[in-house]
């Protein structure tokens, strides 16, 4: 954390010498930029809104990053085809953090102080998103994270607008299913020991407390672990009815699911966070290791409604390896639908105005949008979805919505 703070401070000092001037100010490096006005632009040209993303294009988070960015690109394609943005065009800048949190912070400073973005989408990882939220908040840059961690919207931040459900919702939904629907009383947890995984411990126990229960046992792994058999054998010893796996990369989730299938009785219900439904996990596992796994998500990749089908078909076409979309792709798509609705509500307010980001942030907090993951209506915290769904992976690899 000291290293991250030092990088943030160094970039702030650089801003004083070389950074972005406020749009429309006399210190703007573009001497032909318009002066600040109180009215919308009227030159007939669509104004450019700068969108930044810092995520792991390379490294162990690359598959999730490609999902999120392809979701954004699919949305931008649809907005263009539908001529849905009347006064603005969105310019996307992607910075590769190489799946390294220190680089994420460096990139966030670059986006804020050099690229001078108006809004940031992502990251989707809780730890990475939390590492940059203070930077963006300090510069009044709206952030649309694709992470479920409640800390982003329940810590007093004013410039955060989430494009997916949160882990309070996922925990309540998962425990309602396990306790009310299945009647289980002996539930175990295996989780990543970080911000991303610890939400499963904290909010899972909160949800279980409504039934006078708590996890029968909770075991954790550390980032990068390649063997979880020790933790799983401890879980197996209490003969659980269900085990919930929470957090981790595709590789870590794959190890957890494979070893749970190996060491637990086949009757034990295995549940998981949204990573279990990612195509990158399916490529690492024998199908038998995924069959019957129930995971929470904002969107079922096998949805057949027209909205989802258009997204699916164009996503596959745009994806570098023609991979099927997951809910991470849906998060990127919904982020752009939220942004587009907010921009249209501004009625052409000039991006050169000093308070453009503030106006945009306020607009995003007040829009109502029908997204792939549901109908967004934001509260004061920046959360817009009240529900999520549970999906069960079938023997043929298909995904069936079963609850929520």
């Amino acid at each position: 954390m000291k290293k991250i703070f030092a990088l943030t401070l160094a970039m702030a000092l650089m801003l004083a010498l070389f950074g972005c001037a406020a749009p429309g100010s006399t210190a703007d490096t573009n001497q032909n930029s318009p002066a600040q006005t109180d009215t919308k632009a009227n030159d007939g040209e669509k104004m450019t809104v700068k969108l930044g993303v810092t995520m792991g294009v390379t490294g162990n988070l690359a598959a999730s990053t490609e999902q999120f960015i392809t979701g954004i690109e699919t949305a931008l394609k649809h907005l263009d085809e539908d001529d849905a943005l009347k006064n603005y065009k969105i310019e996307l800048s992607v910075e590769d953090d190489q799946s390294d949190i220190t680089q994420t912070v460096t990139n966030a400073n670059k986006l804020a102080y050099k690229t001078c973005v108006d809004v940031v989408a992502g990251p989707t990882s809780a730890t990475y998103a939390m590492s940059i939220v203070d930077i963006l908040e300090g510069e009044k840059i709206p952030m649309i994270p694709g992470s479920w961690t409640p800390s982003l919207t329940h810590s007093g931040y004013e410039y955060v607008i989430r494009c997916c459900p949160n882990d309070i919702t996922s925990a309540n939904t998962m425990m309602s299913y396990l306790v009310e629907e299945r009647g289980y009383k002996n539930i175990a947890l295996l989780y990543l020991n970080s911000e991303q995984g610890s939400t499963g411990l904290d909010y899972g126990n909160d949800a279980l407390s409504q039934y006078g229960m708590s996890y029968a046992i909770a075991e954790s792994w550390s980032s990068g672990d390649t063997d979880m058999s020790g933790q799983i054998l401890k879980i197996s010893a209490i003969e659980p009815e269900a085990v919930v796996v929470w957090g981790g990369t595709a590789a870590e989730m794959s190890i957890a699911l494979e070893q749970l299938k190996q060491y637990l009785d086949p009757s034990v219900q295995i549940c998981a966070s949204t990573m279990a439904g990612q195509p990158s996990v399916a490529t690492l596992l024998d199908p038998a290791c995924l069959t019957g796994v129930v995971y929470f998500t904002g969107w079922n990749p096998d949805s057949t409604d027209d909205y989802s089908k258009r997204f699916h078909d164009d996503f596959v076409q745009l994806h570098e390896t023609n991979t099927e979309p997951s809910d991470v792709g849906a998060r990127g798509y919904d982020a752009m639908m939220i942004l587009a609705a907010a921009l249209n509500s501004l009625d052409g307010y000039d991006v050169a105005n000093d308070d453009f980001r503030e106006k945009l942030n306020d607009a995003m907090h007040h829009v109502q949008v029908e997204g792939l993951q549901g109908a967004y209506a934001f509260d004061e915290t920046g959360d817009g979805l009240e529900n999520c769904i549970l999906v069960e992976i079938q023997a043929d690899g298909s995904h069936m919505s079963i609850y929520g």
Side-chain angles (χ1 to χ4, degrees), residues 150-216:
S151 297
L152 285 164
T153 50
H154 290 245
S155 300
Y157 295 114
E158 297 179 1
Y159 283 76
V160 175
I161 305 94
R162 194 195 307 274
C163 61
C164 57
N166 67 36
D167 273 333
I168 299 173
T169 297
S170 63
N172 285 335
T173 303
M174 182 66 77
M175 300 313 156
S176 172
Y177 169 72
L178 292 176
V179 178
E180 296 182 23
E181 190 80 4
R182 301 294 296 272
Y184 294 148
K185 299 182 183 302
N186 196 17
I187 302 169
L189 175 70
L190 179 63
Y191 68 101
L192 173 64
N193 187 16
S194 75
E195 171 81 27
Q196 183 187 16
S198 62
T199 56
L201 175 65
D202 297 336
Y203 295 105
N205 269 328
D206 285 349
L208 286 170
S209 70
Q210 301 173 46
Y211 307 101
M213 297 168 55
S214 63
Y215 288 118

Side-chain angles (χ1 to χ4, degrees), residues 90-143:
I90 299 171
E91 179 181 276
L92 175 62
S93 296
V94 178
E95 296 290 338
D96 179 14
D97 65 22
Q98 302 163 33
S99 303
D100 182 312
I101 197 167
T102 302
Q103 188 62 43
T104 308
V105 175
T106 300
N107 290 351
N109 280 304
K110 179 180 177 182
L111 290 170
Y113 302 139
K114 185 176 180 181
T115 310
C116 307
V117 296
D118 300 300
V119 57
V120 167
T124 58
S125 164
T127 307
Y128 286 69
M130 289 302 298
S131 75
I132 66 172
V133 64
D134 285 315
I135 298 170
L136 303 178
E137 184 82 7
E139 291 304 307
K140 296 184 177 181
I141 299 173
M143 178 186 186

Side-chain angles (χ1 to χ4, degrees), residues 270-287:
I270 298 175
C271 300
S273 54
T274 183
M275 179 57 76
Q278 303 306 313
S280 53
V281 171
T283 62
L284 296 173
L285 285 174
D286 184 289

